[in-house]
Amino acid sequence: MDQLSKFLIGVGIALWIITIFLPNNGIYSVALVLIFVSYLRAFSKNHPQRYRENEGFLRYYNKVKGFFKGGSRPGSGNRKNQRIFTCPSCKQKIRVPKGKGRIKIKCPKCGTEFIKKS
Ligand SMILES: [Zn+2]
């Protein structure tokens, strides 16, 4: 199962649990459809297509996640979640999110790419 299927099934089960406490045919149908679709994807033989769907989903998902994870104005107090690196070629200071492991950083000033551990 890829991330999209896991996401679909996660949301589906969450909605399904909601309907246990709050019976609602609309939510229940959505939950069933989500779980059904995630199973269809899991057993689908069309892997390139599934892969593309998943890629698209991840792009969108990461955007949404970034938005909720303090994608607010720069320098607005979430400094402890960021690390400052200095570009090896032009000494430009670059802020990157913390705790992402090894990441590739691209200098916004001169375009140099370098790998750092955040
Ligand atoms: Zn640079």
Side-chain angles (χ1 to χ4, degrees):
M1 269 199 178
D2 56 17
Q3 290 93 332
L4 176 54
S5 291
K6 278 185 192 150
F7 177 78
L8 290 175
I9 209 161
V11 174
I13 288 171
L15 289 176
W16 182 64
I17 290 170
I18 289 172
T19 62
I20 294 174
F21 300 103
L22 195 90
N24 180 310
N25 283 338
I27 298 176
Y28 189 69
S29 327
V30 172
L32 284 188
V33 167
L34 287 174
I35 293 170
F36 183 67
V37 168
S38 64
Y39 268 94
L40 277 188
R41 294 188 78 259
F43 291 110
S44 168
K45 292 279 179 285
N46 191 353
H47 290 300
Q49 177 62 27
R50 299 288 84 81
Y51 183 77
R52 273 199 299 278
E53 284 170 13
N54 191 49
E55 289 283 283
F57 161 73
L58 283 182
R59 250 198 311 273
Y60 184 72
Y61 180 72
N62 285 331
K63 231 185 267 177
V64 172
K65 207 167 74 177
F67 178 76
F68 284 111
K69 245 186 166 178
S72 47
R73 287 158 291 131
S76 63
N78 50 15
R79 198 157 297 192
K80 63 176 183 289
N81 297 323
Q82 293 177 324
R83 280 195 71 161
I84 314 266
F85 291 113
T86 308
C87 171
S89 79
C90 71
K91 309 298 174 208
Q92 165 79 25
K93 295 227 186 323
I94 303 158
R95 264 196 278 175
V96 298
K98 221 171 180 175
K100 300 258 171 165
R102 282 166 67 82
I103 52 168
K104 192 158 86 173
I105 302 162
K106 190 173 183 199
C107 172
K109 201 172 166 189
C110 69
T112 304
E113 289 185 341
F114 53 104
I115 308 275
K116 284 280 182 192
K117 204 165 168 294
S118 76

mmCIF file of all heavy atoms in Angstrom, residues 86-94 106-114, ligand 1:
data_model
loop_
_atom_site.group_PDB
_atom_site.id
_atom_site.type_symbol
_atom_site.label_atom_id
_atom_site.label_comp_id
_atom_site.label_asym_id
_atom_site.label_seq_id
_atom_site.Cartn_x
_atom_site.Cartn_y
_atom_site.Cartn_z
ATOM 1 N N THR A 86 24.820 27.965 6.493
ATOM 2 C CA THR A 86 25.473 28.991 5.690
ATOM 3 C C THR A 86 25.885 28.386 4.357
ATOM 4 O O THR A 86 26.479 27.314 4.323
ATOM 5 C CB THR A 86 26.705 29.528 6.434
ATOM 6 O OG1 THR A 86 26.291 29.909 7.745
ATOM 7 C CG2 THR A 86 27.267 30.740 5.730
ATOM 8 N N CYS A 87 25.540 29.042 3.306
ATOM 9 C CA CYS A 87 25.902 28.566 1.971
ATOM 10 C C CYS A 87 27.423 28.498 1.854
ATOM 11 O O CYS A 87 28.110 29.455 2.202
ATOM 12 C CB CYS A 87 25.333 29.514 0.923
ATOM 13 S SG CYS A 87 25.932 29.151 -0.743
ATOM 14 N N PRO A 88 27.943 27.341 1.397
ATOM 15 C CA PRO A 88 29.400 27.188 1.330
ATOM 16 C C PRO A 88 30.051 28.097 0.290
ATOM 17 O O PRO A 88 31.251 28.350 0.381
ATOM 18 C CB PRO A 88 29.586 25.713 0.950
ATOM 19 C CG PRO A 88 28.292 25.299 0.344
ATOM 20 C CD PRO A 88 27.219 26.137 0.979
ATOM 21 N N SER A 89 29.296 28.576 -0.650
ATOM 22 C CA SER A 89 29.976 29.371 -1.677
ATOM 23 C C SER A 89 29.773 30.872 -1.528
ATOM 24 O O SER A 89 30.672 31.650 -1.798
ATOM 25 C CB SER A 89 29.589 28.895 -3.077
ATOM 26 O OG SER A 89 28.325 29.390 -3.427
ATOM 27 N N CYS A 90 28.592 31.329 -1.052
ATOM 28 C CA CYS A 90 28.409 32.782 -0.970
ATOM 29 C C CYS A 90 28.112 33.251 0.453
ATOM 30 O O CYS A 90 27.853 34.425 0.681
ATOM 31 C CB CYS A 90 27.296 33.247 -1.903
ATOM 32 S SG CYS A 90 25.637 32.783 -1.371
ATOM 33 N N LYS A 91 28.141 32.302 1.431
ATOM 34 C CA LYS A 91 27.939 32.630 2.854
ATOM 35 C C LYS A 91 26.544 33.178 3.175
ATOM 36 O O LYS A 91 26.334 33.770 4.230
ATOM 37 C CB LYS A 91 28.998 33.633 3.366
ATOM 38 C CG LYS A 91 30.433 33.245 3.059
ATOM 39 C CD LYS A 91 30.806 31.927 3.726
ATOM 40 C CE LYS A 91 32.200 31.496 3.288
ATOM 41 N NZ LYS A 91 32.360 30.037 3.313
ATOM 42 N N GLN A 92 25.600 32.973 2.258
ATOM 43 C CA GLN A 92 24.220 33.365 2.521
ATOM 44 C C GLN A 92 23.642 32.482 3.632
ATOM 45 O O GLN A 92 23.852 31.274 3.628
ATOM 46 C CB GLN A 92 23.414 33.219 1.226
ATOM 47 C CG GLN A 92 21.913 33.248 1.391
ATOM 48 C CD GLN A 92 21.367 34.674 1.565
ATOM 49 O OE1 GLN A 92 21.967 35.631 1.128
ATOM 50 N NE2 GLN A 92 20.237 34.771 2.216
ATOM 51 N N LYS A 93 22.932 33.074 4.586
ATOM 52 C CA LYS A 93 22.301 32.283 5.638
ATOM 53 C C LYS A 93 20.967 31.750 5.129
ATOM 54 O O LYS A 93 20.165 32.481 4.573
ATOM 55 C CB LYS A 93 22.082 33.138 6.885
ATOM 56 C CG LYS A 93 23.379 33.584 7.522
ATOM 57 C CD LYS A 93 23.326 33.356 9.025
ATOM 58 C CE LYS A 93 24.549 33.925 9.752
ATOM 59 N NZ LYS A 93 25.813 33.790 9.039
ATOM 60 N N ILE A 94 20.763 30.429 5.342
ATOM 61 C CA ILE A 94 19.554 29.786 4.834
ATOM 62 C C ILE A 94 18.860 29.085 5.987
ATOM 63 O O ILE A 94 19.472 28.299 6.708
ATOM 64 C CB ILE A 94 19.907 28.764 3.729
ATOM 65 C CG1 ILE A 94 20.683 29.456 2.610
ATOM 66 C CG2 ILE A 94 18.647 28.101 3.189
ATOM 67 C CD1 ILE A 94 21.506 28.505 1.786
ATOM 68 N N LYS A 106 19.083 24.255 -1.272
ATOM 69 C CA LYS A 106 19.497 25.059 -2.417
ATOM 70 C C LYS A 106 19.571 26.508 -1.981
ATOM 71 O O LYS A 106 18.618 27.062 -1.433
ATOM 72 C CB LYS A 106 18.503 24.886 -3.557
ATOM 73 C CG LYS A 106 19.028 25.498 -4.839
ATOM 74 C CD LYS A 106 18.123 25.185 -6.007
ATOM 75 C CE LYS A 106 18.758 25.767 -7.266
ATOM 76 N NZ LYS A 106 17.856 25.931 -8.360
ATOM 77 N N CYS A 107 20.713 27.097 -2.200
ATOM 78 C CA CYS A 107 20.908 28.486 -1.821
ATOM 79 C C CYS A 107 20.034 29.378 -2.706
ATOM 80 O O CYS A 107 20.103 29.290 -3.925
ATOM 81 C CB CYS A 107 22.379 28.857 -1.971
ATOM 82 S SG CYS A 107 22.664 30.618 -1.734
ATOM 83 N N PRO A 108 19.201 30.226 -2.088
ATOM 84 C CA PRO A 108 18.321 31.079 -2.895
ATOM 85 C C PRO A 108 19.083 32.192 -3.605
ATOM 86 O O PRO A 108 18.578 32.782 -4.550
ATOM 87 C CB PRO A 108 17.358 31.656 -1.858
ATOM 88 C CG PRO A 108 18.072 31.565 -0.559
ATOM 89 C CD PRO A 108 19.006 30.394 -0.650
ATOM 90 N N LYS A 109 20.300 32.458 -3.133
ATOM 91 C CA LYS A 109 21.046 33.583 -3.695
ATOM 92 C C LYS A 109 21.872 33.159 -4.914
ATOM 93 O O LYS A 109 21.778 33.760 -5.970
ATOM 94 C CB LYS A 109 21.961 34.151 -2.603
ATOM 95 C CG LYS A 109 22.400 35.583 -2.858
ATOM 96 C CD LYS A 109 23.113 36.079 -1.613
ATOM 97 C CE LYS A 109 23.867 37.363 -1.901
ATOM 98 N NZ LYS A 109 24.723 37.734 -0.752
ATOM 99 N N CYS A 110 22.678 32.080 -4.718
ATOM 100 C CA CYS A 110 23.568 31.707 -5.813
ATOM 101 C C CYS A 110 23.207 30.368 -6.451
ATOM 102 O O CYS A 110 23.798 29.979 -7.433
ATOM 103 C CB CYS A 110 25.018 31.665 -5.326
ATOM 104 S SG CYS A 110 25.337 30.315 -4.180
ATOM 105 N N GLY A 111 22.230 29.647 -5.883
ATOM 106 C CA GLY A 111 21.772 28.411 -6.501
ATOM 107 C C GLY A 111 22.614 27.186 -6.191
ATOM 108 O O GLY A 111 22.359 26.107 -6.703
ATOM 109 N N THR A 112 23.628 27.326 -5.325
ATOM 110 C CA THR A 112 24.446 26.176 -4.950
ATOM 111 C C THR A 112 23.612 25.181 -4.149
ATOM 112 O O THR A 112 22.856 25.573 -3.256
ATOM 113 C CB THR A 112 25.637 26.639 -4.081
ATOM 114 O OG1 THR A 112 26.361 27.635 -4.797
ATOM 115 C CG2 THR A 112 26.555 25.470 -3.748
ATOM 116 N N GLU A 113 23.771 23.888 -4.461
ATOM 117 C CA GLU A 113 23.062 22.874 -3.708
ATOM 118 C C GLU A 113 24.040 22.142 -2.808
ATOM 119 O O GLU A 113 25.152 21.822 -3.231
ATOM 120 C CB GLU A 113 22.382 21.888 -4.660
ATOM 121 C CG GLU A 113 21.208 22.521 -5.381
ATOM 122 C CD GLU A 113 20.449 21.513 -6.225
ATOM 123 O OE1 GLU A 113 21.009 20.454 -6.534
ATOM 124 O OE2 GLU A 113 19.289 21.797 -6.556
ATOM 125 N N PHE A 114 23.636 21.897 -1.575
ATOM 126 C CA PHE A 114 24.485 21.140 -0.674
ATOM 127 C C PHE A 114 23.615 20.322 0.269
ATOM 128 O O PHE A 114 22.459 20.632 0.503
ATOM 129 C CB PHE A 114 25.443 22.061 0.095
ATOM 130 C CG PHE A 114 24.768 23.208 0.817
ATOM 131 C CD1 PHE A 114 24.595 23.154 2.192
ATOM 132 C CD2 PHE A 114 24.331 24.326 0.118
ATOM 133 C CE1 PHE A 114 23.984 24.211 2.859
ATOM 134 C CE2 PHE A 114 23.715 25.380 0.783
ATOM 135 C CZ PHE A 114 23.546 25.322 2.158
HETATM 136 ZN ZN ZN B 1 24.938 30.751 -2.054
#
